[in-house]
Amino acid sequence: YPNLCQDAILDVFYRRRSESVLMEVANFGALINDNNLWHLNRHSVATAVSVGLFCAFIPLPIQMLLAAALAVLCRCNLPISIVFVWISNPLTVAPLFFGAYKIGAWILNRPMEQELTFTSSLGWITSQISTIWQPFLLGCFTTGAVFVLISRN
């Protein structure tokens, strides 16, 4: 009998969990069918540009996913928010992030590292990240916020 009781409890737990997953998927379907995500109007496009530009300065490889999630939450044009993330592409990411680092170093009143010699290795990244992460992240957030303010006007 103990196994039957345990099996019944597990069955209820997993059934509720699978039902909640189905409800979340159904809610996502309702969210993704929102007209503002696909139609072009001034509010939807302006907000999408802001979302895309802000996410472009997030130094993570999941910028497009974040832009899509924010577009759904902000109820703005989804394709435009993803397209504006692409300003930080492999050709432009180095100047954009170096500029963000310079802005962050200026805000924190820190001298910039005079000699940043880049080598494509994990050892270089781990040794340099400890000295540049604070101005870099502050610069990325600040630059993203400034671009949001500029795009909203």
Side-chain angles (χ1 to χ4, degrees):
Y1 294 109
N3 287 340
L4 290 175
C5 184
Q6 186 180 13
D7 289 343
I9 292 171
L10 289 174
D11 184 46
V12 168
F13 173 74
Y14 285 119
R15 186 180 323 127
R16 285 187 185 159
R17 185 174 179 153
S18 65
E19 288 172 1
S20 67
V21 169
L22 290 175
M23 290 301 293
E24 290 175 15
V25 170
N27 288 340
F28 182 73
L31 289 174
I32 206 75
N33 286 327
D34 186 6
N35 286 337
N36 284 323
L37 297 179
W38 308 105
H39 290 176
L40 297 173
N41 58 47
R42 278 185 269 161
H43 172 73
S44 180
V45 171
T47 306
V49 169
S50 297
V51 164
L53 288 175
F54 182 77
C55 289
F57 284 95
I58 296 174
L60 294 174
I62 57 170
Q63 295 169 327
M64 289 192 306
L65 292 174
L66 291 174
L70 282 174
V72 170
L73 289 175
C74 295
R75 300 181 63 205
C76 63
N77 192 285
L78 180 66
I80 290 177
S81 66
I82 291 174
V83 165
F84 271 86
V85 168
W86 294 342
I87 66 164
S88 64
N89 58 57
L91 296 175
T92 62
V93 74
L96 288 175
F97 284 166
F98 182 68
Y101 168 71
K102 286 176 70 172
I103 289 171
W106 177 73
I107 291 171
L108 292 174
N109 199 19
R110 285 192 183 173
M112 286 190 40
E113 300 296 323
Q114 297 298 323
E115 182 96 17
L116 276 179
T117 56
F118 178 74
T119 56
S120 177
S121 69
L122 186 60
W124 181 86
I125 292 172
T126 56
S127 69
Q128 293 296 318
I129 200 71
S130 64
T131 60
I132 65 170
W133 73 271
Q134 290 174 331
F136 176 62
L137 290 180
L138 178 64
C140 286
F141 177 77
T142 304
T143 308
V146 166
F147 272 93
V148 165
L149 292 173
I150 290 171
S151 68
R152 294 299 291 176
N153 290 327

